[in-house]
């Protein structure tokens, strides 16, 4: 199978929807096509992931970004399991951008949508098993025995006599001569040695010693540092800048305009930053001047009011008679603000342009899109651009966008022969993020005289996160809010990517509850502020409305929120199992008798996994503290239990920041905040006690990196209601609002 | 030239005096283990020890540390009880904040060999982790404290 071309159907492009799994990568031609990345001469290369040198070194090309979610450990365990080689002894290298690793369904190499294990599960096992079969065939040939009689044991093939042994390295040359087997046997889960074990992360030892090379740590002889001064107003642009305003600042080497602002190149970061702070620049505020948060939230609401027929996400049964025959109606509106990603490592990228060849060292979730973007802004053809990946100091979706790579490329082009590290400040990072979009939800439910919910009608308004991204993909990288760029840059096929409706916006709105008549509709509203994938994408704000409102229904019919959910989850066994486990572990029925105590629950499916959370809060006056989260996850077969737990803890804490802390405010078409003082994030003293549990399963693995985020907000809102009787429907959750 | 002691070695850097120690470490002394997170003393990614006290190096002019003892993550040499506890508790996710977290923890344990929860939360309040490793940080500090008490009666 050849990686599909960039011309994709919309549906296939939905990385947030969890539908990207399953494609077999193994067809990428193993011997004749592109060379394996970081090729060692004389090695056995059964596929683009693996090399085995005659010395016995097993080298795994990790084609996914390691941003904390643990793929370096989990994917190595999967391929090592079938290769029968201890993954902790492998040499693991970042593959960088390489055509062999394009996701066959998306046509791009991407780490996102919690898909790494989901999509890697089959092809990596097959890749490992194929290599093992070829090594066994090589040994059998040498020994003149039947390969099926041979065994392997952690890097060694064993003769049928049980005595003679041959290491993988010794067999490398002969294995290269073997024919790829058509049929390979995969291990039975009972025989797993590494999958399912809580292996210590392979990247931990370096990380605790400060040895890990993140993007910001790239160092090269003669390297300079660049910063870019950007127009704070989205959609605005440069009118002019005054070079003389920074004359005399030592260490400054060059100042020039690039597509995103004014670049300053200096010997070191401090010098570049000083110059940036002092540079006199005149901006054109652009079309969003004067726009603020209140106008956006109102515009969103108006957009629904003025839309006659929202785009249909779901329409089951018939809601009209259900509402007409209802004895009571429940209605509510929910909203969420823009929210920033703020990975701990600010955006950065290092570039070097020599003899027509551009190399980028980029901490990115999308290495080949970085290459496309770099090509777009420099005119250097893609085949002359190499993108090397580094470790990522957090991603959370932000590093799926590669604006920084485009800037680094543009700067490198102006400084031929000189490696330049482009660095963003925290202020740059917060003010030029692709924020989680705002959303407005209008929820309505019909309840009949028996207290049953007979109708569910949910309309919502939000912004597509795929539009700006699709534009990137199509080689027309300028964001969609820059009108001229649309005329200038949009290539053929972009229309495919910019439909009026982006289905991924509706993620998580199809309720698992057995309500007979349901209607879900959405309206796209784009205020022009850049928005993007934010850990769990649309699930994060849709779950807030859906699970908060379902809780309202429980209270409306005077039922216990857990009993009520159980009643409606009879056709959703995975939800029910996760809910039951969280309820049991949290001791739901034994509520502590403490003043201000409240307990709430939420359950949500995303990225192939189901997570239930029970939140305990303690309220005092207008203040509250989230004391404890009990989490239960069904993520299918577990690769590394400890890392599943770690992702539950981390996801919950990431989600909780957006529950408790202020979102991004827009003022005059710009982000009004700048650093952790005015966009605070959760700190250690605000972090609740977290207990996470795994629902045992032998199903195909689901995602873990994002799935704990969506249920956090509704669980806490529901707990606050239990404590105070006050229903909070706007994020962040504030009792004094 | 500003001279100081870095991980027990005498070093000298030739930078402007207002340059924050962070950049002198990272760019002039090739000690990239100390991280840049906010540049405003708000996140703790840049934490080092100055004469044993956890300090944000991004807001510390290098001129102010002449003659002083600086310890960075590299100075712990991978053998410190805090680093070992970080491994046994599998604390790191992306790992970017962890050198700063570890230096804050080492600073705490040098002052208080047997910290309670409150002490730990206070000492670590200046260190942000966006990956949410806080629960494991608390555990690891307790493990490290115990190890240190057993090996040398509380000192570090
Ligand atoms: S970089 Fe120094 S405190 Fe954030
Ligand atoms: S481990 Fe990623 S920020 Fe702390």
């Amino acid at each position: 199978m050849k990686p599909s071309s960039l011309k994709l159907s919309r549906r296939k492009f939905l990385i947030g929807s969890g539908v990207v799994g399953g494609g077999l990568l193994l067809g990428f031609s193993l011997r004749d096509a592109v060379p394996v990345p970081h090729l060692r001469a004389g090695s056995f290369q059964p596929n683009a992931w693996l090399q085995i040198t005659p010395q016995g070194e097993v080298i795994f090309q990790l084609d996914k970004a390691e941003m904390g979610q643990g793929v370096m450990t989990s994917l190595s365990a999967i391929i090592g399991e079938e290769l029968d080689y201890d993954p902790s002894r492998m040499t693991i290298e970042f593959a960088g951008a390489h055509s062999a690793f394009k996701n066959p369904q998306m046509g791009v190499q991407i780490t996102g949508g919690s898909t790494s294990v989901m999509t890697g599960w089959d092809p990596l096992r097959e890749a490992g098993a194929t290599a093992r079969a070829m090594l066994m065939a090589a040994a059998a040939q040498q020994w003149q025995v039947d390969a099926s009689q041979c065994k392997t044991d952690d890097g060694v093939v064993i003769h049928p006599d049980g005595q003679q042994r041959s290491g993988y390295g010794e067999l490398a040359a002969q294995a290269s001569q073997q024919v790829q087997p058509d049929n390979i046997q995969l291990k039975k889960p009972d025989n797993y040695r590494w999958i399912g074990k809580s292996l210590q992360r392979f990247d931990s030892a370096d990380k605790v010693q400060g040895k890990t090379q993140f993007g910001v740590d790239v160092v090269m002889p003669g390297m300079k540092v660049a910063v870019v001064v950007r127009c704070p107003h989205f959609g605005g642009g440069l009118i002019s800048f005054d070079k003389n305003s920074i004359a005399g600042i030592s260490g400054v080497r060059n100042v020039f305009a690039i597509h995103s602002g004014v670049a300053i190149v200096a010997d070191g970061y401090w010098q570049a930053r000083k110059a940036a702070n002092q540079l006199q620049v005149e901006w054109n505020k652009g079309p969003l001047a004067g726009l603020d948060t209140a106008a956006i939230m109102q515009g969103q609401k108006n957009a629904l009011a003025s839309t006659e027929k929202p785009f249909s996400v779901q329409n089951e049964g018939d809601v009209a008679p259900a509402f007409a025959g209802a004895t009571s109606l429940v209605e509510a509106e929910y909203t969420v603000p823009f929210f920033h990603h703020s990975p701990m490592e600010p955006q950065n990228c290092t570039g070097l342009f020599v003899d027509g060849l551009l190399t980028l060292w980029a901490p990115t979730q999308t290495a080949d899109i970085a290459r496309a973007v770099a090509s777009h802004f420099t005119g250097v053809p893609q085949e002359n651009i190499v993108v090397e990946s580094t470790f990522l100091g957090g991603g959370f979706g932000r590093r799926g966008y590669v604006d920084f790579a485009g800037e680094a490329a543009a700067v490198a082009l102006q400084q031929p022969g000189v490696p330049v590290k482009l660095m963003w400040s925290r202020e740059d990072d917060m003010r030029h993020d692709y924020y989680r979009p705002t959303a407005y939800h209008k929820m309505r439910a019909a309840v009949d005289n028996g207290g049953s919910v007979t109708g569910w009608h949910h309309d919502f308004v939000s912004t597509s996160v795929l539009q700006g991204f699709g534009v990137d993909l199509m080689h027309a990288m300028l964001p969609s809010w820059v009108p001229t760029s649309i005329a200038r840059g949009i290539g053929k096929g972009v229309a495919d990517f910019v439909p009026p409706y982006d289905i991924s916006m509706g993620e998580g709105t199809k309720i698992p509850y057995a309500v007979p008549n349901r209607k879900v509709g959405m309206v796209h509203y784009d205020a022009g502020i850049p928005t993007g994938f934010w850990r769990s994408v649309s699930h994060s704000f849709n779950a807030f409305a859906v699970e908060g409102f379902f809780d309202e229904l429980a209270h409306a019919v005077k039922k216990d929120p857990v009993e009520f959910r159980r009643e409606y989850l009879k056709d959703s066994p995975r939800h029910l199992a996760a809910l039951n486990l969280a309820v049991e572990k949290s001791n739901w029925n034994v509520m502590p008798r403490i003043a201000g105590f409240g307990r709430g629950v939420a359950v949500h499916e995303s990225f192939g996994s189901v997570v239930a959370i029970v939140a305990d809060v303690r309220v005092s006056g207008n203040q509250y503290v989230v004391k404890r989260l009990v989490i239960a996850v069904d993520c299918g077969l577990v690769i590394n239990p400890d890392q599943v737990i770690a992702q539950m803890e981390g996801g919950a804490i990431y989600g909780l920041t957006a529950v408790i802390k202020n979102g991004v405010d827009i003022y005059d078409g710009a982000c009004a905040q700048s650093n952790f003082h005015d966009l605070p994030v959760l700190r250690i003293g605000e972090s609740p006690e977290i207990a996470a549990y795994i629902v045992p399963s032998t199903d195909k693995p689901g995602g873990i990196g994002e799935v704990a985020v969506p249920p956090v907000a509704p669980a806490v809102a529901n707990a606050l209601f239990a404590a105070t009787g006050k229903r909070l429907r706007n994020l962040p959750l504030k009792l004094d609002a | 030239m500003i001279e100081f002691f870095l991980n027990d070695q005498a070093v000298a850097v030739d930078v402007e005096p207002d340059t924050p120690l962070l950049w002198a470490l990272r760019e002039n002394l090739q000690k990239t283990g100390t991280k840049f997170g906010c540049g405003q003393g708000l996140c703790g990614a840049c934490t080092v020890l100055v004469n044993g006290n956890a300090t944000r190096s991004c807001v510390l002019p290098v001129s102010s540390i002449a003659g002083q003892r600086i310890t960075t993550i590299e100075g712990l040499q991978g053998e410190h009880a805090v680093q070992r506890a970080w491994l046994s508790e599998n604390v790191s996710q992306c790992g970017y904040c962890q050198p700063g977290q570890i230096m804050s923890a080492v600073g705490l344990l040098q002052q208080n060999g047997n910290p309670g929860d409150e002490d730990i939360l206070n000492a670590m309040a200046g260190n942000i982790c966006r990956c949410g490793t806080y629960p494991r940080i608390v555990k690891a500090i307790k493990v490290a404290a115990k190890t240190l008490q057993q090996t040398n009666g509380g000192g570090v």
Side-chain angles (χ1 to χ4, degrees), chain B residues 22 35-46 56-58:
Chain B
L22 171 66
K35 299 299 185 223
F36 166 57
C38 70
Q40 303 285 350
L42 299 166
C43 77
C46 63
R56 315 294 176 225
S57 66
C58 69

Side-chain angles (χ1 to χ4, degrees), chain A residues 67-68 200 207-208 214 216-217 250 268-270 274 341-342 344 426 642 646-647 649-650 654 675 682-683, chain B residues 16 18 20 23 26-27 33 35 37-38 40 42 73 83 87 90 92-94 96 125 130-131 134 136:
Chain A
M67 45 193 170
Q200 191 181 82
K207 283 180 173 173
V208 303
F214 297 95
V216 290
D217 301 324
S250 76
Y269 178 81
W270 183 244
K274 261 210 256 185
H341 293 85
S342 299
M344 280 315 295
R426 175 59 55 192
D642 178 67
Q647 286 306 304
E649 295 166 350
Y654 196 82
N675 207 321
L682 208 77
R683 290 181 184 265
Chain B
E16 282 143 80
D18 67 343
W23 301 109
R26 289 183 53 83
E27 295 180 346
K35 299 299 185 223
C38 70
Q40 303 285 350
L42 299 166
I73 188 77
Q83 288 171 307
L87 288 180
N90 244 336
S92 302
Q93 289 191 25
C94 85
Y96 193 82
R130 284 295 277 154
C131 295
Y134 299 134
R136 292 181 185 219

Side-chain angles (χ1 to χ4, degrees), chain A residues 378-408:
Chain A
T378 57
V380 177
Q382 288 207 45
E383 55 272 27
N384 292 346
I385 301 177
V386 175
V387 177
E388 295 287 359
S389 305
T390 65
F391 277 90
L392 277 57
F396 314 123
R398 174 62 180 86
R399 288 190 157 93
Y401 301 86
V402 284
D403 39 353
F404 47 85
E407 290 180 342

